[in-house]
């Protein structure tokens, strides 16, 4: 069973955006997205953050070993190359429509950056009141309260650097298009980006309800799967 953040408030709609809550979630993302060993906590002046990060990383590593590792394609350091976790295999994306054949695979992925953009689009007020590391939790809660939007998409290119700025994804060196409720729109924008930049490794981030975690699916363009064994 997937472990959850022990530092968040389960009783209400809001969450305890404590240092420990943020540290644990950031550590968990790193733990499940960077096998096989438990990663080391980054430097911090706050020992509570470091301790919580280490505990989250251990939990993420344990879930990765038990339930499968996740890709971590979009990260703050703009890594570019995405290493395929051992044993990880893509699934059928399940998308339909004119562009679906170009995005026929879906990789289970983790990372808060694209979810922050989705949150700022679908629920700007929630975004202003959320902490970055807990973006997935805030997005899940916001979509749960809304009528209509349940599955946002975001076209992203993993090739770095793009030398753009203005939001966390651009600042990390990636390109992204518009958040959309339509796979067709997001897929078309990703394909359009592939025609204007070489090399290009675009795809679509698809969010489905993931509870408190920063989980999502990465649907690479058929000519843009930027993973290596």
């Amino acid at each position: 069973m997937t472990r959850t953040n022990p530092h968040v408030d389960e009783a209400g709609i809001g969450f305890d955006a404590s240092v420990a809550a943020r540290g644990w979630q950031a550590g968990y993302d790193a733990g499940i997205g960077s096998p096989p060993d438990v990663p080391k906590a980054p430097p911090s002046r706050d020992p509570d953050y470091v301790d919580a990060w280490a505990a989250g990383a251990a939990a993420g590593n344990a879930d990765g070993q038990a339930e499968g590792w996740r890709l971590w394609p979009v990260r703050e350091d703009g890594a570019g190359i995405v290493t395929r976790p051992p044993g990880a295999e893509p699934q059928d994306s399940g998308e339909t429509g004119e562009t679906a054949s170009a995005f026929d695979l879906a990789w289970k992925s983790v990372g808060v950056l694209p979810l922050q953009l989705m949150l700022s689009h679908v629920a700007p007020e929630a975004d202003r009141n959320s902490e970055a590391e807990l973006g997935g939790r805030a997005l899940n809660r916001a979509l749960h309260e809304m009528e209509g939007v349940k599955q946002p998409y975001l076209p992203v290119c993993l090739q770095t650097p793009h030398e753009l700025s203005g939001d966390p994804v651009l600042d990390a060196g990636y390109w992204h298009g518009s958040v959309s409720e339509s796979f067709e729109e997001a897929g078309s924008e990703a394909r359009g980006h592939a025609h204007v930049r070489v090399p290009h490794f675009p795809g679509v981030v698809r969010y489905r309800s993931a509870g408190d975690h920063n989980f999502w699916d990465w649907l690479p363009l058929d000519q843009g799967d930027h993973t290596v064994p």
Side-chain angles (χ1 to χ4, degrees):
M1 182 176 179
T2 303
R3 292 160 174 80
T4 56
N5 194 327
H7 303 286
V8 295
D9 176 15
E10 297 293 347
I13 296 299
F15 49 78
D16 172 18
S18 66
V19 168
R22 295 187 287 109
W24 192 96
Q25 198 63 56
Y28 182 93
D29 292 356
I32 201 170
S34 50
D37 300 321
V38 178
K40 295 182 179 180
S44 174
R45 295 180 179 180
D46 193 322
D48 290 340
Y49 184 90
V50 173
D51 290 346
W53 199 102
N61 182 270
D63 280 352
Q65 294 186 51
E67 302 177 8
W69 306 104
R70 287 178 173 265
L71 261 63
W72 193 8
V74 184
R75 57 179 72 189
E76 288 82 352
D77 61 6
I81 293 294
V82 180
T83 302
R84 182 182 303 175
E89 295 293 339
Q91 302 173 336
D92 189 310
S93 70
E95 295 292 346
T96 59
E98 294 182 5
T99 62
S101 61
F103 301 88
D104 57 347
L105 299 178
W107 292 85
K108 291 183 177 181
S109 301
V110 67
V112 73
L113 289 188
L115 305 189
Q116 287 180 266
L117 296 189
M118 291 180 173
L119 180 62
S120 66
H121 175 81
V122 303
E125 183 63 32
D127 178 51
R128 286 192 290 270
N129 294 327
S130 71
E131 293 290 345
E133 296 91 337
L134 302 175
R137 177 179 173 85
L139 178 60
N140 186 64
R141 295 296 179 92
L143 292 175
H144 181 73
E145 294 179 346
M146 296 173 63
E147 295 183 3
V149 183
K150 296 299 180 183
Q151 189 166 287
Y153 299 88
L154 176 70
V156 174
C157 181
L158 301 187
Q159 176 65 32
T160 58
H162 280 77
E163 299 181 351
L164 302 171
S165 63
D167 60 53
V169 176
L170 297 180
D171 292 344
Y174 304 99
W175 167 89
H176 71 79
S178 301
V179 177
S180 173
E181 302 168 35
S182 164
F183 168 74
E184 284 294 320
E185 292 180 12
S188 295
E189 192 170 4
R191 293 183 72 178
H193 179 76
H195 295 313
V196 299
R197 182 176 177 86
V198 178
H200 50 79
F201 300 97
V204 174
V205 172
R206 177 180 66 193
Y207 179 78
R208 291 172 170 172
S209 179
D212 294 344
H213 282 297
N214 299 319
F215 291 165
W216 40 275
D217 296 325
W218 171 244
L219 283 60
L221 182 65
D222 56 5
Q223 62 175 324
D225 183 355
H226 201 18
T227 63
V228 296

